[in-house]
Each structure stands twice: as C-alpha cells, then as structure tokens.
Amino acid sequence: MLRRLPVVALLLLMIGLKVNAQQPDTLPQIVDPELVAVMNAKTPKEYTIAGIKVAGTKYRDESLLLSISGLTVGEKIVLPGGDNISKAILNLWKQNLFSDIQIFFTKLEDDTRLYLEIQVVERPSLSSYSFKGVRKSEQEDLDKKTGLVKGRVITENMKRNAVMNIEKYYVEKGFRGATVQIVEKNDPAFVNTQQLIFNVTKGNKVRINNVNFFGNEKVSTAKLKKKMKGTKETSRLTLYPEKDSSSYGEVKRESFSEYAKDYGYLSPTKTLSYLDPWFRFKLFSSAKYNETKYNEDKEKVVEYYNSVGYRDAGIVKDTLYYNPKGNLNIDIKVDEGRQYYFGDITWKGNTKYSDSVLSLMLGIKKGDIYNLETLNKKLRMSQEGGDISGYYMDDGYLFFSVDPVETRVYNDTIDFEIRMREGPQATIKNINIAGNDKTKEYVIRRELRTIPGEKFSRTDLIRSNREIANLGYFNQEKIDINPVPNPDDGTVDINYKVEEKSNDQLELSAGWGGNIGLTGTLGVTFNNFSIRNIFNRETWDPLPTGDGQKLSLRVQSNGRQFRSYNFSFTEPWLGGKRRNSFTVSFYSTRFANAYNPYTGYYDRKAGDTSFLRTLGVSIALGKQLRWPDDYFTLVYSLNLTQYKLQNYPNLFPGLNNTTAHNISLKLALNRSSIDQPIYPRSGSNFLMSVQATPPYSLIDPSRVNSKNPYELPEFHKWRFTGEWYVPIGRPMGADRSKQFVFKAAAKYGFMGRYNSKLDYSPFERFQLGDAGLTNNFGLLGYDIIAHRGYPVYDNSDPTVNPDKSSASQFFTIFNKYTMELRYPFSTNPNSTIYGLAFFEAANGWYDYKDYNPFRLRRSAGLGMRFFLPMFGLLGFDYGIGFDRMTPGGRLRDAAKFTFMLGFEPE
C-alpha cells in the first residue's frame, strides 16, 4: 500500500506556497485514510516529527542536509497552515545544489507522530567547459569574462550569466547579433559531472557606415563627429569640411560637390586634403558599434555644445538603422538652442580678497562665451591650479565653499552672483602616519610640508604626496592623504597612509668560459638602509633597513679579461635636520688586453703585461636650496681618479704606458619637480653642471712640452639636461592611471681646454651611440650618451655609416634631442611596465670649428620598459637609424635592437 504524501503538493494546494523546485506532473494516489485526513483537515492541528529520512543524495552528507533544512526530530509542526516545511524547502533550494526538492509524509502514528522523507535530485558539477566558433585569443578573454570555475555545481544562473557575458563581449566587439547555445554532456571520467560546450555564432560584425547630424546650424558636423571618439565611421579616405562652407564668404554650401568636380574628382570623398583649407583628412578609424561608448559620445556632444555657450542644447532624437549591406547608419537630431554669454559677475561673502582681485583671479570677462565647466574649474579644485578655492585653501581656509548662482538671464546674456563662505582659517593639529611597517616614521615625517601649528595648505598636501612618492619606498598609487577637519576648534588632523614596497635590487650572474675562467656579476643595492643598526642583529632582514640611506655593492668579473669593484653609500639627510645629502663612493676596474687573435684564446701572460686600470674615489655634498624655490638642489663633488695604462693600445700619443691622476671638482645645479621617479606623469627636470681640473699648464707652462702632458689631465666640462613630462589624455574607458605621457628632452655637453697648445683631454669625453652601455674605452671616464638605432660611433658626418668602422675615439661636444610618447600597461609597484614610441636626434664633434647643431643623426622606433624592484629598470628598444639607410637598401639593415639596464645617465 502506498503511504507517501507529497507535502509540496499539500502546501501548494492549502497555503498557496510557490517554490522554484520541479514538481511531479501527477500526484501519487492517496489510499491511506489517516494521511487523507491530515490533508483534508479544516482545522489546523499540531504534529510531532517522529523521524526524517533523506533520499536521492549520493554525494552530499545527509546530516548536513538535515541541518540546512532546519527540520529536527521532535520538532512541533502545524498542518495545515504551518511554515516549517516551506522554510525547509527554501533553505535547501538556496544552496543551489539540487534541481528538484520534495518532502513526503511517509507514516502517521498515534494520530500525532509524523514521519517525513526529503527527496532531492542533485545537480552535477562542472568538470570542464569549452568554446566553439571563437578564436584562441578570444577564448582567453572569455575564460575571464564568464567566471566559470571547474568543480562548482552547475546552476541555471551560472549558465545564464555565462551566456549573457559572452554575448556582451561580442556586442562590444561589434557583433550585435551574436548568439550562444549551450550543449551539456555527461563526463564519463567523473561521477555526477558535466561538460559545458558553448557554441558561439558571432554573425557579421556590425560596422558604422555613416553618422549623420541634423539640426546643427552653428556647429559643423565635422566638429561634432570629432567629439564622438568611440563611435567612428567605416575607415575610408574622406574629407570633411572643417567648418560650414557659409563661413567662407562667397563659397556656398551647395558648391561643395561642384568644388570637387572642378578638380576632376567624382565626389567630395575622393578629393585630397591639400585642395582647400576647409577640408581635413580622415584616414583610419575603428568603426565597430559599442552601445556604451555611443551613449557616452552623445553626452560629449552635448557637453561640447555647452562649452561653446549653447547651454540649452540637447539631442532630440537619434535613429539607428541598417543599410542593405548590413552596416549601421546613425542619424542624430540636435536642438542647438541659443548661444549664451557671460554677463555681470558679482561677489558675495568675500572678506579676504576684494571683488576686483577675485575677478582678476577668475579670468572670465563680460561677453565671454558661456561655459559652466570653465566657471566651475576656475572656482573649485582645478588640477591645473589657479582656482579661487586653491588661493583660499593655500592660506588655511579649509572650510571655504563657493556656489555660482544665475541671477538673471536676458536675451543671450547670463549674470552670476558668486556666493562664498570663507569660514575660519584651519591650523594643522596632528599628523598621523600609518602603513610604514619597515620605514621609520621620522623618514616620512621629515619629507612632509604639513607641519603641526602651521596653517592648512592644499599645495603643501600635493607637495607632501610628491615627496613621499619620490622616496621610492612606497606604492605611489596607494599613497592616501586624508584631512580630518575639527570645526569646533578650527583645526585639522592630516592622516597619511602608505603601503611599503620592495625596492632593494639584486644582480647575480655566473659562468665559466674555458680559458677565460670564472665570469659573473654580484651586485646588491639597499635603497632604505640603516647604518645605525648595523651592529643590531635583530634589525637585519637581510640587512638593517628603515633609515632611508642607500648602500650599493657590486663585483663584476669576466675571467682574466675584466674585473670591477664598486661601492657607494648615501645619507640623504646629513645631520638629520636639513636635506643635505652626503655620498661617498669607491671604484676599481681593470681591463686586460689579453686576447690572442691567432689562438682565439685569452692569454694570461699577455693580460698581465697589457692592461688598463682605473682607481677612483668620490665625495659629494648636496644641499636643498630655498631660492628661487625648494625644488632646487646644489651638489658639490670632489673626484680623484687614477688611470694606469701599460702597453695598452689607443689612438692618443704617449698614453700607451702612463699613469694619470685626474683630480676634479664638480658643481651641479638641479631642479626637479617630477611627480614620481619610476613613471613620471608631470613636472620637469633640469640639470646644469660644470666639472673642472686645476689649470696645470697655465700654472706651469713647461708641462706643454713634457713627455707625458696627460699625467695630470686638465679640462673643464659643461653639461645641461632638460626634461619635460606632460600628460596628454587617456584611451576611451581607461582609468586615470592609464594616461599617455609626452616626454621632451634636450642634452648638451661641451669640453674645454685651458691651453690651446694642448689637445683636449683624452679622459672624460662623450661616448655616443647604442643603449648607453660603455665599452673598454669607457674606462677612461667617458660620459655615456645613449642613441637608439645606432651603434657607438666616432664620426661627426651623418652620411658616414657607423656600421663600417669600430669607434675608438670620442667627442668633446655633443647635442641630443629626444621625444617620447609613453603609455603605462601596469603601474603596480611590483612590476611597472610601460611602452613608448621615440624620435631621437644626436651627434658629436671634436672641435668647435666643426660644430654644427643642425647636423644630427636621426632615429625613431618603439620600446618597452620593465621596472622590477629586485632588478631595477630593464629596457628594450627597436630603433631605425634613418642616416644608416643606404639607397636601395632594406629598412631592417638600418634597424638596431638595444637593451638597457638602469636609468639613462644624465
């Protein structure tokens, strides 16, 4: 006899509950009189759950399911009318583990003891998924877009979201008719698992054929299309009138096509840009339709109208329709309205500045074209500075507020009243710093421009952010500055939050080169070193850190041919009270001329008798200046270098066997206002320096005729470097950190001599070419100047191909100009990556008589930069030297791939 009564059916019939579980098409036949009585009872009655059984589960724990359901043996339930059973079903359904849930009455004892059975149908898990009808590169994108995870239970919501995200992905790519069908297959390799196969039919890509504007009488169609950067027409060689033809006197609008025919062209779209100044080129564009970008572009069209005075302008209607080829046409009807102008601007609530001074700061005059965006920028928080609120906040008025109110609109003129609330001046009370787990707090605090007791200043906040970023110890993107005003006492607390990043560097390589011997490099740089804790073992990690000092050690060996030792230490705040830097460095290198061309090996004995050795020490003291502003730094350095050449071949007479002692004093004036060191987005960097030795030949004229006039080298060397960084916008949809940056740079170097009877010093010259890496002649103290697209060269004539000879002499004069367009792919402090396109022009000369600043070697190309905290800056460039190209030659013959390590020397 069947004694099971589906409770789901009972509840649906008697209390109207609806659940999202599958229900049986027919109910079991009820033959037990006791259960029939329960179902047909008119008066609710209390029952006790005597037992619960779980059926249908194979892979889930029964006790866990009972716990989730909320039903327990001994629990009192009321039927009909109670909600215990319905809640149990909903609790189980929320887990997304089952495709069907039913609860049955299986037995009734003593008229009050009820037995239940929970029957479930388990959902399968996802074992794998795949996409058909898509490219391999698209599969990688879809993996991320769908959010599918193997091993998770397959639900309808999971499948629906995956399909929706796939369709959205292709709609954004221009496939508006893309469809997705899912095929579910049981996976025989795993129990209760399924494979999902997404069959994607992309259809034809919908391209924008034409964008047509109607109703625009005052603003040209070309200008409106220019604002729709995300909604471009199909690429073609097209000319558009830059302005309405009616603006050009006798040239009428209807004569446009006739004008083109007069030049022998069938239509205006086949004319060329040089025919008339009221045409411009449109050559390449992305024509795919993206609804999100289209809506953004419509807003930009309205914003542009507002910016030129049409504050009432709007888009009345837009129509999208397909042409016979399946491409999209867009018709946009605009209502321009009237063009407005600024009228009288009055001020209210100002006590610090007079009306005339505020009007001068604002820079908007009566009769200027109305632009609300410009007005707001002039009043509030402009990134370019110079806004009214900035003047107030730089003088402590943290509680300052301003509100422009239209007081009168007449004809085409709008009068404004600028209502201001100056409030009291705020004084800085507390400075709180958090997040510096490794760096000592005083290292950060000494960089801040916000000092307790002084008046609040917005400029000081911006400058403090820059100084913290330029330390290099913290993630520049995560520096958070939060002023917390205290209106009750007129003070403000400033909370600084930083995030430490690793910035120590390790250089390690090793090898064995046959007869050369051991080769390798070991270098470490600690950029946040602490010398005071050098004897405190508890602070070593792996060396003591946190005091902001810099320690660098490097050992390099190329077997018997070359070895180098370098050491440097920098204390940026000597004495701890002012930004006076102290640097000491020592270096020793030895290059052996040990190669035997007959045997092809390096000869140990030859290396002992023919070599070039340098030994040097440098001491530098830097001081931050307060005039003209505190971006200036003055650095004095004393340099002592010994050059020892023994049977070493070079092109300078008398230098094959000599020992020279170079003693020089260098004075460098630097002004740097860049916002951050790794990837500067704004600011500039200027460096002027002069390096000079004593004028030995003037003190002792007999040195001119000595056997070795270079025993005490004499020279004076002048350098100038100027760099500018300008942000120029970002791609559509990119965040603010993904911004193009334009860099322009100029470098000059000139070497002089005290006595015309002596040649220029063979030491301390300028080496040009390649990626800025030195060769063996660079051991003579040369300044290394990179020139991408060219090997190292020693000829001033650009028509002479530097590939035909090996450079062995170097210049006493050089000029270099660089332009770069940079774009960051990642600004993560653990892996800053950016790409660049560059154009360079440079050259060097030996004598001022030959100096021609307009005769330069030119190059252009592309490059990538990778900044990894452990290894520093790595760079790869592919440049084409235009002056290396020969008539009839191939372009790749003039190309050169270069690798750089570290920042380019200034």
Side-chain angles (χ1 to χ4, degrees):
M1 178 181 295
L2 182 62
R3 293 177 57 84
R4 263 193 346 176
L5 180 65
V7 179
V8 174
L10 175 67
L11 295 172
L12 291 176
L13 291 171
M14 305 190 72
I15 64 175
L17 173 68
K18 294 184 178 180
V19 295
N20 293 325
Q22 298 177 11
Q23 307 303 328
D25 296 332
T26 60
L27 296 177
Q29 183 181 2
I30 301 173
V31 294
D32 192 311
E34 296 175 345
L35 298 182
V36 173
V38 172
M39 184 172 180
N40 294 333
K42 296 182 179 180
T43 303
K45 182 179 178 180
E46 186 176 78
Y47 297 88
T48 301
I49 300 178
I52 306 174
K53 180 183 178 182
V54 178
T57 180
K58 298 179 182 179
Y59 313 104
R60 315 292 175 189
D61 184 71
E62 293 185 7
S63 59
L64 179 61
L65 296 183
L66 285 175
S67 176
I68 293 173
S69 71
L71 297 174
T72 59
V73 175
E75 181 181 354
K76 305 294 185 181
I77 62 174
V78 177
L79 293 174
D83 61 354
N84 307 65
I85 304 298
S86 60
K87 284 183 178 180
I89 294 175
L90 290 176
N91 289 339
L92 291 170
W93 191 256
K94 288 177 183 178
Q95 306 307 310
N96 286 325
L97 299 175
F98 311 106
S99 60
D100 187 20
I101 303 170
Q102 297 187 70
I103 299 180
F104 293 90
F105 294 159
T106 59
K107 185 179 179 182
L108 181 63
E109 289 181 349
D110 301 331
D111 199 35
T112 59
R113 292 169 54 80
L114 197 61
Y115 290 82
L116 304 180
E117 179 179 308
I118 302 175
Q119 190 174 87
V120 297
V121 177
E122 293 179 316
R123 295 182 186 273
S125 298
L126 179 63
S127 64
S128 65
Y129 61 91
S130 60
F131 307 97
K132 291 189 176 180
V134 302
R135 297 176 181 174
K136 184 177 180 180
S137 60
E138 294 173 339
Q139 290 181 7
E140 297 174 356
D141 293 336
L142 292 176
D143 282 338
K144 301 175 184 177
K145 297 286 185 182
T146 55
L148 296 172
V149 178
K150 296 178 182 179
R152 287 189 178 177
V153 175
I154 299 174
T155 65
E156 293 300 320
N157 189 53
M158 172 196 288
K159 294 185 287 185
R160 185 165 50 250
N161 285 339
V163 170
M164 181 180 65
N165 289 329
I166 294 171
E167 291 177 347
K168 181 181 177 182
Y169 172 78
Y170 282 105
V171 166
E172 291 176 352
K173 284 182 166 291
F175 297 94
R176 298 194 72 197
T179 59
V180 182
Q181 299 293 330
I182 300 180
V183 177
E184 302 178 47
K185 294 175 59 177
N186 292 328
D187 190 342
F190 303 97
V191 179
N192 196 35
T193 60
Q194 283 189 343
Q195 300 171 335
L196 296 183
I197 302 171
F198 296 88
N199 292 317
V200 181
T201 304
K202 294 187 286 188
N204 295 324
K205 180 176 284 190
V206 177
R207 296 187 177 275
I208 302 172
N209 183 51
N210 281 317
V211 178
N212 306 308
F213 282 91
F214 300 92
N216 55 313
E217 297 181 355
K218 302 298 182 181
V219 180
S220 70
T221 297
K223 285 188 175 179
L224 296 180
K225 289 183 177 181
K226 190 176 181 180
K227 300 301 172 184
M228 302 186 70
K229 298 184 182 298
T231 308
K232 300 288 188 180
E233 297 170 323
T234 303
S235 301
R236 56 181 179 271
L237 198 61
T238 307
L239 275 78
Y240 294 100
E242 191 63 35
K243 295 182 178 180
D244 287 342
S245 53
S246 57
S247 340
Y248 291 87
E250 298 180 358
V251 181
K252 298 180 179 179
R253 183 189 298 270
E254 54 267 21
S255 66
F256 184 85
S257 58
E258 297 176 1
Y259 184 88
K261 292 178 181 178
D262 290 342
Y263 282 86
Y265 295 91
L266 297 177
S267 68
T269 60
K270 294 184 179 179
T271 60
L272 297 176
S273 61
Y274 59 80
L275 296 181
D276 195 276
W278 38 285
F279 294 117
R280 71 175 177 85
F281 255 131
K282 181 183 183 214
L283 182 55
F284 297 110
S285 63
S286 176
K288 66 182 181 183
Y289 174 77
N290 185 306
E291 185 174 1
T292 301
K293 292 182 179 180
Y294 173 61
N295 291 328
E296 292 174 355
D297 287 342
K298 289 194 293 183
E299 293 178 2
K300 290 177 182 178
V301 168
V302 176
E303 289 173 1
Y304 175 72
Y305 267 110
N306 296 158
S307 70
V308 292
Y310 296 92
R311 71 161 192 168
D312 300 328
I315 294 178
V316 179
K317 181 181 179 182
D318 62 315
T319 305
L320 286 71
Y321 58 95
Y322 294 94
N323 66 6
K325 293 184 178 180
N327 290 331
L328 193 64
N329 289 328
I330 302 176
D331 292 345
I332 301 175
K333 184 178 180 180
V334 299
D335 181 5
E336 295 181 322
R338 169 180 283 178
Q339 188 176 33
Y340 290 88
Y341 301 87
F342 283 110
D344 295 323
I345 298 178
T346 58
W347 303 86
K348 184 178 180 181
N350 53 306
T351 59
K352 178 176 175 58
Y353 298 108
S354 65
D355 291 1
S356 58
V357 171
L358 288 173
S359 297
L360 186 64
M361 292 178 180
L362 186 66
I364 297 176
K365 301 177 181 178
K366 184 177 182 178
D368 287 352
I369 294 176
Y370 171 85
N371 187 336
L372 185 60
E373 182 181 359
T374 298
L375 177 62
N376 286 327
K377 282 185 177 181
K378 293 285 187 177
L379 292 175
R380 308 185 186 98
M381 303 295 286
S382 171
Q383 290 186 352
E384 293 79 15
D387 54 287
I388 300 295
S389 65
Y391 287 110
Y392 273 92
M393 288 192 176
D394 284 345
D395 198 26
Y397 290 90
L398 175 62
F399 309 102
F400 170 83
S401 63
V402 60
D403 185 28
V405 178
E406 294 182 4
T407 56
R408 186 184 177 198
V409 180
Y410 54 98
N411 297 326
D412 60 355
T413 304
I414 303 175
D415 291 344
F416 276 91
E417 181 180 78
I418 311 298
R419 299 174 183 175
M420 305 170 61
R421 181 183 176 277
E422 294 177 343
Q425 288 178 299
T427 302
I428 300 173
K429 186 177 182 180
N430 297 312
I431 302 294
N432 303 309
I433 301 173
N436 52 315
D437 303 325
K438 183 171 66 173
T439 305
K440 304 292 194 303
E441 184 170 305
Y442 80 88
V443 174
I444 304 173
R445 195 172 289 273
R446 69 191 183 187
E447 301 290 340
L448 303 181
R449 295 297 188 270
T450 53
I451 301 174
E454 294 190 354
K455 289 186 293 186
F456 174 84
S457 171
R458 189 181 76 178
T459 298
D460 287 344
L461 282 185
I462 297 172
R463 181 65 184 275
S464 297
N465 185 90
R466 172 191 177 273
E467 298 301 330
I468 295 174
N470 283 334
L471 284 174
Y473 312 148
F474 310 106
N475 182 352
Q476 296 96 331
E477 307 297 328
K478 296 291 182 67
I479 298 174
D480 182 36
I481 305 178
N482 182 29
V484 181
N486 306 308
D488 295 337
D489 58 1
T491 62
V492 57
D493 294 339
I494 302 178
N495 299 325
Y496 291 87
K497 186 176 181 181
V498 297
E499 181 183 287
E500 297 266 12
K501 71 172 185 179
S502 174
N503 65 334
D504 297 330
Q505 298 172 13
L506 172 67
E507 184 181 0
L508 181 63
S509 65
W512 183 266
N515 198 43
I516 298 177
L518 179 67
T519 66
T521 300
L522 174 63
V524 291
T525 300
F526 298 94
N527 290 296
N528 194 2
F529 185 67
S530 175
I531 196 171
R532 74 167 72 181
N533 291 318
I534 193 76
F535 298 109
N536 185 358
R537 296 290 299 179
E538 295 179 357
T539 64
W540 285 49
D541 186 27
L543 285 180
T545 61
D547 282 332
Q549 298 156 345
K550 181 177 181 179
L551 176 67
S552 179
L553 300 164
R554 190 171 187 268
V555 178
Q556 185 178 9
S557 172
N558 190 13
R560 298 164 185 167
Q561 185 184 17
F562 175 78
R563 63 113 181 105
S564 173
Y565 308 113
N566 291 272
F567 162 83
S568 70
F569 172 78
T570 300
E571 167 56 72
W573 285 70
L574 184 63
K577 295 183 178 180
R578 295 185 179 181
R579 195 196 296 265
N580 297 328
S581 64
F582 173 76
T583 301
V584 58
S585 61
F586 168 81
Y587 55 92
S588 173
T589 61
R590 186 178 188 276
F591 185 88
N593 185 35
Y595 182 73
N596 189 328
Y598 299 102
T599 63
Y601 293 101
Y602 288 92
D603 188 340
R604 178 191 293 270
K605 294 182 179 179
D608 294 336
T609 58
S610 176
F611 60 85
L612 164 63
R613 187 185 67 197
T614 63
L615 184 68
V617 62
S618 173
I619 301 174
L621 182 64
K623 179 181 181 180
Q624 184 180 26
L625 305 181
R626 297 186 179 277
W627 185 89
D629 59 40
D630 59 3
Y631 288 110
F632 280 88
T633 303
L634 185 63
V635 180
Y636 314 84
S637 61
L638 177 64
N639 308 284
L640 298 93
T641 307
Q642 181 193 71
Y643 302 102
K644 183 175 180 60
L645 293 87
Q646 181 171 322
N647 297 322
Y648 194 83
N650 64 78
L651 300 181
F652 292 97
L655 278 185
N656 289 10
N657 290 278
T658 188
T659 300
H661 298 85
N662 182 9
I663 304 173
S664 65
L665 180 67
K666 185 176 181 179
L667 184 65
L669 180 64
N670 177 234
R671 185 187 188 277
S672 176
S673 62
I674 59 174
D675 60 336
Q676 53 182 285
I678 305 302
Y679 182 72
R681 295 188 179 93
S682 62
S684 59
N685 179 44
F686 297 95
L687 176 66
M688 293 183 291
S689 68
V690 56
Q691 181 181 359
T693 64
Y696 301 109
S697 64
L698 298 183
I699 298 172
D700 181 8
S702 63
R703 294 189 59 82
V704 175
N705 299 317
S706 66
K707 293 182 179 180
N708 185 6
Y710 303 117
E711 182 180 359
L712 291 173
E714 60 176 60
F715 63 89
H716 51 92
K717 183 165 63 173
W718 305 76
R719 289 286 308 272
F720 171 80
T721 297
E723 296 175 335
W724 296 263
Y725 298 89
V726 181
I728 59 172
R730 62 185 188 275
M732 288 289 297
D735 58 64
R736 291 188 178 274
S737 65
K738 299 295 182 69
Q739 189 172 34
F740 284 105
V741 174
F742 176 73
K743 174 190 174 182
K747 293 186 178 183
Y748 303 93
F750 302 92
M751 173 180 279
R753 53 186 175 175
Y754 298 111
N755 196 323
S756 60
K757 296 180 181 179
L758 275 178
D759 196 2
Y760 293 98
S761 167
F763 307 102
E764 302 285 347
R765 294 194 176 196
F766 305 111
Q767 173 187 308
L768 270 71
D770 208 66
L773 301 176
T774 186
N775 57 17
N776 58 323
F777 286 100
L779 301 179
L780 298 176
Y782 295 156
D783 288 2
I784 310 301
I785 313 300
H787 190 180
R788 291 165 289 189
Y790 289 91
V792 176
Y793 53 89
D794 61 0
N795 194 298
S796 302
D797 187 356
T799 62
V800 175
N801 193 333
D803 299 320
K804 304 299 182 181
S805 61
S806 176
S808 55
Q809 294 193 58
F810 299 103
F811 304 109
T812 60
I813 308 167
F814 87 91
N815 291 173
K816 178 184 175 182
Y817 306 92
T818 302
M819 291 188 294
E820 288 184 358
L821 184 63
R822 299 177 169 186
Y823 180 74
F825 298 105
S826 170
T827 54
N828 188 311
N830 294 321
S831 58
T832 301
I833 304 172
Y834 63 89
L836 59 88
F838 69 86
F839 175 82
E840 284 187 340
N843 205 357
W845 298 267
Y846 290 100
D847 196 280
Y848 290 89
K849 296 178 182 179
D850 303 323
Y851 176 54
N852 184 347
F854 302 103
R855 200 171 190 190
L856 304 169
R857 286 183 165 94
R858 302 152 300 166
S859 65
L862 301 173
M864 291 290 295
R865 296 291 182 270
F866 305 85
F867 182 83
L868 305 175
M870 182 62 72
F871 303 103
L873 186 67
L874 307 177
F876 303 90
D877 294 293
Y878 185 80
I880 297 175
F882 298 129
D883 296 288
R884 294 174 61 200
M885 298 176 64
T886 58
R890 296 174 299 179
L891 185 65
R892 66 181 183 181
D893 294 335
K896 183 173 178 60
F897 179 82
T898 54
F899 167 75
M900 61 166 287
L901 180 63
F903 293 92
E904 183 180 352
E906 296 181 341

